[in-house]
Amino acid sequence: MTELGPVAWPPAPIRTERLVLREPEARDRAAFIELLASPEVHTYLGGPRPRDELERAVPEISGRRPGLFVIDLDGAMIGMVRLDRHDAESPGHVRPDVGEAELGYLLLPEAWGRGYGSEACAAALGWFADALPGEPVVLRTQTANERSMRLAAKLGFTEVERFEAYGAEQWFGVWSCVTPSG
């Protein structure tokens, strides 16, 4: 994944009814490790990474990563939302000549089922639409990931195609007023 492009970063924190989307801070390290080591979170993402490997690899002080937002609930990280450039070589594209922005999200299991994912992703998409008007955003998920499929529909992503990758059927959708080219 590559950076979004000509976007000022970090933006001011984005506030929703219940959440704050903000740049990562040093205090988020333990939550990032938990997110990346969680078997539940990584059921459809190739499995969790070993906690001891993460303890060594995750820096004490987070580096600035344009497009990466921490989902903060009452001062604690409960997940993350990212908008990165979709790799042009990866399956699924709306415009074959350009790597579109791709939405990704992870939430800690204790935050599931409360609407935080849709609230945070909708806020990030709203920010993106203001920062880069007219740019489509894509999303890929396994069709077996029912929660992610429901979230994609709720956010207004439209299916473009399905394909096989990583040993499973993948769903590819787009969010924008741009009509997919075929």
Side-chain angles (χ1 to χ4, degrees):
M1 295 287 180
T2 58
E3 292 186 11
L4 291 175
V7 176
W9 194 265
I14 300 168
R15 298 184 188 287
T16 70
E17 185 178 326
R18 303 176 293 171
L19 307 169
V20 176
L21 272 63
R22 60 172 173 77
E23 186 175 32
E25 300 172 357
R27 66 186 167 119
D28 302 319
R29 183 176 187 271
F32 269 114
I33 290 171
E34 185 61 33
L35 204 56
L36 297 173
S38 169
E40 296 87 2
V41 172
H42 288 274
T43 298
Y44 302 102
L45 298 171
R49 290 180 54 192
R51 188 173 295 279
D52 60 333
E53 174 188 306
L54 291 166
E55 289 288 350
R56 290 187 304 274
V58 175
E60 291 292 329
I61 298 174
S62 177
R64 182 167 282 174
R65 274 196 61 200
L68 176 66
F69 294 97
V70 162
I71 304 170
D72 184 308
L73 174 67
D74 299 327
M77 178 181 165
I78 61 166
M80 52 78 64
V81 174
R82 67 165 174 74
L83 286 154
D84 282 331
R85 286 283 167 204
H86 179 65
D87 185 350
E89 287 77 45
S90 295
H93 286 283
V94 178
R95 301 180 305 189
D97 58 325
V98 179
E100 299 92 0
E102 182 172 16
L103 177 69
Y105 42 86
L106 298 173
L107 279 90
L108 292 168
E110 56 268 23
W112 293 358
R114 295 186 173 98
Y116 297 137
S118 60
E119 189 174 330
C121 289
L125 288 167
W127 167 82
F128 183 85
D130 287 343
L132 295 165
E135 285 245 7
V137 177
V138 299
L139 184 147
R140 292 179 289 170
T141 189
Q142 281 191 24
T143 55
N145 188 342
E146 294 175 10
R147 287 179 183 270
S148 192
M149 294 289 293
R150 283 194 305 270
L151 179 56
K154 185 173 186 176
L155 292 170
F157 280 84
T158 303
E159 183 175 335
V160 174
E161 68 177 316
R162 292 182 185 210
F163 56 89
E164 287 289 321
Y166 314 109
E169 183 181 54
Q170 306 293 318
W171 183 91
F172 176 76
V174 64
W175 178 87
S176 77
C177 59
V178 175
T179 304
S181 58

